[in-house]
Amino acid sequence: PTLGGATEAVLDSLPEPGLQLRRLIGTLINDLVVAPVGPFVLVLDDLHAIGEAAIHAALDQLLERLPDDAHVVIATRYDPPLALARLRARGQLAELRLEALRFSPAETGALLNDRLALALPPGEVLLLHGRVEGWAAGLRLLALMLGRLSTAEERRALVTRLGEEGRYIFDFLAEEVLGQQEPELQRFLLDTSILPELAPALCRAVTGRDDAADLLDLAYRRNLFLTLGGADDGLGTTFRFHDLFAAFLRGRLQRESPERIRSLHGRAGDASADPARAIAHYCAAERWDEAARIIEERGADFARHGMYRRLHDWIVALPPDVREARPRLLHLLGAFAFYTGAWEQARPLLERAETGLLADEDRARAAESTMLLISIADRSGDTERAAVLTARMRASGPLPPLIQIFLDIGSAWQGIRLDDYATVDGAVTSSVDLLLASDDPAIWNVVPLAPPLALGPAGPTTLERYCHAAPRRFNDAPSLIRATAEQLSGYLHFLRGRLDEAAAATDRAQQLVEQLRGLADVEPGIDQIRFALALIRVGPIAAGQYIDRRLPEVGQNTILRMWLPGYRYLATKAHWLAGHADEARAMAEGLATGGPFPDLPIVSQAQALLAGLLAMSAGRYEEAERQLRAASAFRPPYYTVLFWLDHPQLLLALCYERWGRPREAMMTLRPVLEECERLDTPGIVLKVGPVVAPLLRLAVERGVHAAFAARTLHILEAAAPADPATASVTVPDTGETLSPREVEVLRLLADGASNATIADALFISPNTVKTHVARLLAKLGVASRTAAAARARDLGVG
């Protein structure tokens, strides 16, 4: 009964849940993993009825990550576009196709004679079985008709006629059934066949008959292929035709009375309380204005519930002149194209929608179109266009907080791309002010503020305000807001030089990501801090391996891929620090490959930094100096520290120190230390890694901000593993390295400690222990804790 609590919390907090199926499915998976339900079976019946590609993608995600004690049963008429090979190989999947569902001759006899007591001779049973080809529903319908006949002679006559008929079996049965009804009941059945559900009031409105309720009850009592529903919104008891009988009736209606169909659908639309059904009926009746009006009025609700494809199909079904005359419909079409990635198709639709909505003085909806146009410009790298649209929106007058925050975050991104960090600071501060004044989760979820929030000199202060406020307001359930706040807390602690707190906050953020799944917005910030911590505490090899493992997923994830140059910068830096010059050079050459914005200044700056590092390692100090000075020219020196890259002046000072020019090294380092001391951000220096230790020692010796340099040096030295027992361990013949934390977990695991005991001993959560154990088993190439303990002894751990 308690299953799905986290999923429900995420569902309630997302502004557009229908567009974030991946996140919702991820949370549901975690709910299944942590809930004490034991082995269970997931049954997907009539899977062929699913047509949405987004639903297939969500099902793929669900099936890929189901718990090991889950089993899946699917019943479908044809193969769904799902990746089922893994479940098949593991024996977790049962598939029911048409052949599996067909009755055998023995089963046909058991149904007709043993179960229904029709007393048919064996020859007639075989004849019927062959005629319906084992089709279970056909046999059941046939049995209903045979059961209405009172004598064996009547049944034999029907079976004989059936054997001689060349028509489709169900058409034959339906003709027999319909032909035996009174004319008024036949007309009633034909007219109501257009309805997906039959309620007395709705049938009365469509047919114009006051006795509709009596006729509906009569049809049910005569077993005319109706199934009983329930009470429906005060409309009384509802029924449904068997799908095949409904299709038969609609075909007959089309042949006999095609002129009535539009009129019947129009009446159904007028009487339908369900807006989706009313739209479908109005479209069938070609009453386009009524259909368009409901789509306009309820379109936002449909979109929120993930019905973008249905919305799209309804709008496209309208005549072009009706669509073009209604800018709200154009906005919905443009939004569908935007959210499905068809930006070039979305742009003209949204532009026409924006123009029409402004002409109608509907500023709120026009702003929604403009927001999407700004997003398209941003994602296409058209900074100038995004800036023009943003300025126009701001000049149009007061805006709702949600749109204002969206514009602020967009302005922060534009400032990043234009190296205008005063704009970044102003936009981020404004957005956080608006955020903190609101209790609306939808507004807080606009963020995630991670990348722009920490940029610019005001970044840390703004960061503290956000991180302090978010847990107090949204601490009751796992959410994107909490995950963002924890990840940003990791940033803040690292900036302040509090490495243990940074690690703990980042671990909590990671746990929320694993619990909620699909929070790709938060993952880049987690990876940055984890890399920096690994660099300081373990060394460049382990830090590089961490990023190398992440690169394939980053390249395949549409959200993460925009950060691909940043990930490659970290991987290249790790290879450089480890002395792997060839690997670093190859990685640096492909830095911009695969990323969506290869021409951004940040990419050029990263390339200059890496060229400087590579030249430095080869002893070409003049070239290194030139490249690092070029990197320093991109922006005021604060920003890069918090956005993947290292501080150019720090690397230039390091170049001078290695070049044997200590005076230039200190002159270059002085303003960096001054800025970091003023802002209390030793993490700017720490992020480069232990390689800066000689620079800091030199600063202490020469009195260059000596107290701050000594403090930063102490953090570095204290973080380095002093005890060989807690150092990283290389696993022979695998290329894998166990981090100090993994070594600690392995040592306790080898001693027979449970996950709970390990969690208590290391002051981490049981979920984090599970993650460590899973990674240990993978790195060691073993399948059990017992085998891992034996491997630990081979490695000298324990």
PDB file of all heavy atoms in Angstrom, residues 455-468:
ATOM      1  N   LEU A 455      28.497  31.200 -10.325  1.00  0.00           N
ATOM      2  CA  LEU A 455      29.397  32.000 -11.148  1.00  0.00           C
ATOM      3  C   LEU A 455      29.405  33.447 -10.686  1.00  0.00           C
ATOM      4  O   LEU A 455      28.437  33.957 -10.160  1.00  0.00           O
ATOM      5  CB  LEU A 455      28.956  31.939 -12.612  1.00  0.00           C
ATOM      6  CG  LEU A 455      28.808  30.532 -13.182  1.00  0.00           C
ATOM      7  CD1 LEU A 455      28.344  30.616 -14.617  1.00  0.00           C
ATOM      8  CD2 LEU A 455      30.106  29.780 -13.087  1.00  0.00           C
ATOM      9  N   GLY A 456      30.506  34.116 -10.968  1.00  0.00           N
ATOM     10  CA  GLY A 456      30.616  35.516 -10.623  1.00  0.00           C
ATOM     11  C   GLY A 456      30.948  35.718  -9.159  1.00  0.00           C
ATOM     12  O   GLY A 456      30.756  34.835  -8.332  1.00  0.00           O
ATOM     13  N   PRO A 457      31.472  36.881  -8.802  1.00  0.00           N
ATOM     14  CA  PRO A 457      31.886  37.142  -7.414  1.00  0.00           C
ATOM     15  C   PRO A 457      30.775  36.995  -6.387  1.00  0.00           C
ATOM     16  O   PRO A 457      31.035  36.683  -5.237  1.00  0.00           O
ATOM     17  CB  PRO A 457      32.394  38.594  -7.479  1.00  0.00           C
ATOM     18  CG  PRO A 457      32.838  38.770  -8.896  1.00  0.00           C
ATOM     19  CD  PRO A 457      31.874  37.963  -9.709  1.00  0.00           C
ATOM     20  N   ALA A 458      29.524  37.220  -6.776  1.00  0.00           N
ATOM     21  CA  ALA A 458      28.425  37.087  -5.813  1.00  0.00           C
ATOM     22  C   ALA A 458      27.970  35.646  -5.658  1.00  0.00           C
ATOM     23  O   ALA A 458      27.104  35.354  -4.843  1.00  0.00           O
ATOM     24  CB  ALA A 458      27.241  37.957  -6.248  1.00  0.00           C
ATOM     25  N   GLY A 459      28.558  34.739  -6.436  1.00  0.00           N
ATOM     26  CA  GLY A 459      28.094  33.365  -6.469  1.00  0.00           C
ATOM     27  C   GLY A 459      28.020  32.670  -5.129  1.00  0.00           C
ATOM     28  O   GLY A 459      26.968  32.152  -4.752  1.00  0.00           O
ATOM     29  N   PRO A 460      29.105  32.617  -4.353  1.00  0.00           N
ATOM     30  CA  PRO A 460      29.049  31.873  -3.084  1.00  0.00           C
ATOM     31  C   PRO A 460      27.983  32.383  -2.125  1.00  0.00           C
ATOM     32  O   PRO A 460      27.299  31.595  -1.475  1.00  0.00           O
ATOM     33  CB  PRO A 460      30.459  32.061  -2.520  1.00  0.00           C
ATOM     34  CG  PRO A 460      31.313  32.292  -3.712  1.00  0.00           C
ATOM     35  CD  PRO A 460      30.463  33.082  -4.665  1.00  0.00           C
ATOM     36  N   THR A 461      27.831  33.708  -2.043  1.00  0.00           N
ATOM     37  CA  THR A 461      26.830  34.260  -1.127  1.00  0.00           C
ATOM     38  C   THR A 461      25.430  33.875  -1.567  1.00  0.00           C
ATOM     39  O   THR A 461      24.587  33.471  -0.753  1.00  0.00           O
ATOM     40  CB  THR A 461      26.952  35.800  -1.074  1.00  0.00           C
ATOM     41  OG1 THR A 461      28.270  36.135  -0.671  1.00  0.00           O
ATOM     42  CG2 THR A 461      25.959  36.384  -0.084  1.00  0.00           C
ATOM     43  N   THR A 462      25.174  33.990  -2.853  1.00  0.00           N
ATOM     44  CA  THR A 462      23.870  33.593  -3.382  1.00  0.00           C
ATOM     45  C   THR A 462      23.632  32.110  -3.161  1.00  0.00           C
ATOM     46  O   THR A 462      22.530  31.672  -2.816  1.00  0.00           O
ATOM     47  CB  THR A 462      23.789  33.922  -4.880  1.00  0.00           C
ATOM     48  OG1 THR A 462      24.143  35.285  -5.077  1.00  0.00           O
ATOM     49  CG2 THR A 462      22.400  33.678  -5.419  1.00  0.00           C
ATOM     50  N   LEU A 463      24.683  31.341  -3.358  1.00  0.00           N
ATOM     51  CA  LEU A 463      24.613  29.898  -3.163  1.00  0.00           C
ATOM     52  C   LEU A 463      24.191  29.564  -1.733  1.00  0.00           C
ATOM     53  O   LEU A 463      23.341  28.694  -1.506  1.00  0.00           O
ATOM     54  CB  LEU A 463      25.979  29.298  -3.468  1.00  0.00           C
ATOM     55  CG  LEU A 463      26.160  27.793  -3.430  1.00  0.00           C
ATOM     56  CD1 LEU A 463      25.336  27.141  -4.501  1.00  0.00           C
ATOM     57  CD2 LEU A 463      27.629  27.437  -3.602  1.00  0.00           C
ATOM     58  N   GLU A 464      24.782  30.245  -0.758  1.00  0.00           N
ATOM     59  CA  GLU A 464      24.453  29.982   0.651  1.00  0.00           C
ATOM     60  C   GLU A 464      22.987  30.275   0.931  1.00  0.00           C
ATOM     61  O   GLU A 464      22.308  29.511   1.627  1.00  0.00           O
ATOM     62  CB  GLU A 464      25.343  30.819   1.552  1.00  0.00           C
ATOM     63  CG  GLU A 464      26.774  30.319   1.599  1.00  0.00           C
ATOM     64  CD  GLU A 464      27.698  31.236   2.356  1.00  0.00           C
ATOM     65  OE1 GLU A 464      27.517  32.471   2.262  1.00  0.00           O
ATOM     66  OE2 GLU A 464      28.600  30.735   3.034  1.00  0.00           O
ATOM     67  N   ARG A 465      22.470  31.359   0.377  1.00  0.00           N
ATOM     68  CA  ARG A 465      21.063  31.698   0.612  1.00  0.00           C
ATOM     69  C   ARG A 465      20.137  30.608   0.090  1.00  0.00           C
ATOM     70  O   ARG A 465      19.190  30.211   0.753  1.00  0.00           O
ATOM     71  CB  ARG A 465      20.734  33.034  -0.067  1.00  0.00           C
ATOM     72  CG  ARG A 465      21.461  34.235   0.523  1.00  0.00           C
ATOM     73  CD  ARG A 465      21.259  35.465  -0.348  1.00  0.00           C
ATOM     74  NE  ARG A 465      19.855  35.796  -0.491  1.00  0.00           N
ATOM     75  CZ  ARG A 465      19.346  36.417  -1.553  1.00  0.00           C
ATOM     76  NH1 ARG A 465      20.110  36.741  -2.578  1.00  0.00           N
ATOM     77  NH2 ARG A 465      18.062  36.699  -1.594  1.00  0.00           N
ATOM     78  N   TYR A 466      20.427  30.131  -1.104  1.00  0.00           N
ATOM     79  CA  TYR A 466      19.590  29.086  -1.698  1.00  0.00           C
ATOM     80  C   TYR A 466      19.686  27.796  -0.890  1.00  0.00           C
ATOM     81  O   TYR A 466      18.674  27.177  -0.555  1.00  0.00           O
ATOM     82  CB  TYR A 466      20.025  28.847  -3.148  1.00  0.00           C
ATOM     83  CG  TYR A 466      19.275  27.715  -3.814  1.00  0.00           C
ATOM     84  CD1 TYR A 466      18.056  27.940  -4.438  1.00  0.00           C
ATOM     85  CD2 TYR A 466      19.781  26.416  -3.812  1.00  0.00           C
ATOM     86  CE1 TYR A 466      17.362  26.901  -5.046  1.00  0.00           C
ATOM     87  CE2 TYR A 466      19.090  25.376  -4.418  1.00  0.00           C
ATOM     88  CZ  TYR A 466      17.890  25.627  -5.027  1.00  0.00           C
ATOM     89  OH  TYR A 466      17.210  24.602  -5.617  1.00  0.00           O
ATOM     90  N   CYS A 467      20.900  27.379  -0.579  1.00  0.00           N
ATOM     91  CA  CYS A 467      21.095  26.084   0.085  1.00  0.00           C
ATOM     92  C   CYS A 467      20.527  26.072   1.499  1.00  0.00           C
ATOM     93  O   CYS A 467      20.094  25.029   1.983  1.00  0.00           O
ATOM     94  CB  CYS A 467      22.584  25.734   0.117  1.00  0.00           C
ATOM     95  SG  CYS A 467      23.251  25.376  -1.513  1.00  0.00           S
ATOM     96  N   HIS A 468      20.526  27.210   2.157  1.00  0.00           N
ATOM     97  CA  HIS A 468      19.962  27.269   3.501  1.00  0.00           C
ATOM     98  C   HIS A 468      18.435  27.241   3.465  1.00  0.00           C
ATOM     99  O   HIS A 468      17.791  26.705   4.367  1.00  0.00           O
ATOM    100  CB  HIS A 468      20.435  28.531   4.216  1.00  0.00           C
ATOM    101  CG  HIS A 468      21.888  28.488   4.590  1.00  0.00           C
ATOM    102  ND1 HIS A 468      22.615  29.623   4.904  1.00  0.00           N
ATOM    103  CD2 HIS A 468      22.757  27.459   4.679  1.00  0.00           C
ATOM    104  CE1 HIS A 468      23.868  29.270   5.177  1.00  0.00           C
ATOM    105  NE2 HIS A 468      23.975  27.968   5.038  1.00  0.00           N
TER     106      HIS A 468
END
